Each structure stands twice: as structure tokens, then as C-alpha cells.
Amino acid sequence: MLIPYQQIDPTTLMSLIEHYVLREGTDYGDSEVSTEQKVAQVKSQLQSGEALIVFSELHESVNIVSKAQFHAMQSEDYQSEPIY
């Protein structure tokens, strides 16, 4: 389920973004980028629609994903459903 970033309390949203950018494995390339810059980039991506906030009822978790990742997840879910 998609959660519009505008519906999340600003403090909670900042915590969610900070957790996302501090998570191990988040790659921003060869150059050093400060946490503040990463947070600003993710916030900008949410505002432009390039990134989305997704709640998984199955895993009871919230994640930030790219729009392309979200569409890929939707295709996988659709393809994995049995056809009767």
C-alpha cells in the first residue's frame, strides 16, 4: 500500500528518511555524500514522485522505494497470483 509522504507527520517522515539513508547497503556512488545531503535527496525524490513510501501489510513494515522498484514489485505480485 502506498502512503503519501504528505500524510506522515514531518518528524516521523524525517526519521523514516534518516533510517533509510543510514541503512547499510544504500549506495550513493564513489563520492562522499553527507547524511544531510542524502536526506535532502530522498525528500526531493519523494516530492517529485521518483520515490514512494510503501507499507507492507505482510511484513508490517514501511520502506522507501523508487517508482521503478514499486512497479516491478507490482508486476511480480500480479505474475505470482495463480490463474484458475
Side-chain angles (χ1 to χ4, degrees):
M1 168 188 346
L2 287 177
I3 301 175
Y5 76 92
Q6 303 93 327
Q7 293 182 3
I8 299 174
D9 175 77
T11 303
T12 303
L13 179 62
M14 287 306 292
S15 295
L16 177 64
I17 294 171
E18 287 171 358
H19 176 75
Y20 173 76
V21 300
L22 294 173
R23 195 176 327 162
E24 187 174 78
T26 303
D27 185 14
Y28 287 83
D30 295 333
S31 61
E32 288 292 320
V33 179
S34 72
T35 300
E36 293 79 19
Q37 289 173 309
K38 292 175 187 178
V39 168
Q41 289 172 354
V42 172
K43 190 171 183 180
S44 175
Q45 290 170 356
L46 288 168
Q47 291 170 337
S48 71
E50 294 174 58
L52 306 168
I53 298 174
V54 180
F55 174 72
S56 169
E57 292 180 31
L58 176 65
H59 298 102
E60 296 182 356
S61 64
V62 177
N63 197 14
I64 298 174
V65 299
S66 71
K67 194 177 201 176
Q69 286 174 311
F70 177 75
H71 289 301
M73 291 182 330
Q74 295 297 99
S75 289
E76 289 173 12
D77 287 346
Y78 179 75
Q79 292 174 359
S80 67
E81 292 180 16
I83 300 173
Y84 296 102

